[in-house]
Amino acid sequence: MNAKIKQLKDILESDALLELDETIKEVSKNVKTDDDKEELQYLKDLKKYFEEVLVAIAKDELPEKQAEDILAVLEEMQLEDEL
């Protein structure tokens, strides 16, 4: 397994999906507007995508370039959270 793909797998399993689950629970408790519904759906779609990425990694079907792109997005999301 390529180092970038392993890094992505580790981040998804130990951080991103856990944090996403918590956020989904929080948001689902406070859905009041259409924007809230859209945010909740976005978070659920994102979780599904990350789970599909893990399946692709397990099957050794994830290209290194895609792993690098996903890592870049995750890093950007983390920077936004810190602001």
Side-chain angles (χ1 to χ4, degrees):
M1 180 182 303
N2 169 291
K4 291 287 185 188
I5 293 173
K6 180 173 180 359
Q7 179 184 5
L8 176 60
K9 179 180 183 283
D10 292 345
I11 289 171
L12 289 178
E13 289 178 338
S14 66
D15 186 32
L17 281 170
L18 299 175
E19 192 171 319
L20 203 47
D21 276 337
E22 287 180 28
T23 305
I24 288 170
K25 287 176 189 172
E26 276 181 38
V27 171
S28 65
K29 291 178 188 174
N30 298 309
V31 174
K32 294 181 176 81
T33 66
D34 284 344
D35 286 345
D36 294 339
K37 289 178 188 174
E38 285 180 28
E39 180 182 4
L40 182 59
Q41 188 57 52
Y42 168 77
L43 293 169
K44 287 179 178 180
D45 290 345
L46 188 60
K47 179 182 178 188
K48 182 179 178 187
Y49 174 71
F50 286 160
E51 289 170 341
E52 290 170 356
V53 168
L54 285 174
V55 169
I57 290 171
K59 293 180 177 180
D60 200 25
E61 295 175 350
L62 187 75
E64 181 180 353
K65 174 70 174 130
Q66 188 175 355
E68 290 171 359
D69 292 345
I70 296 167
L71 282 168
V73 170
L74 286 170
E75 187 175 307
E76 187 176 305
M77 291 170 69
Q78 185 177 11
L79 290 174
E80 287 175 4
D81 283 349
E82 291 174 3
L83 294 177

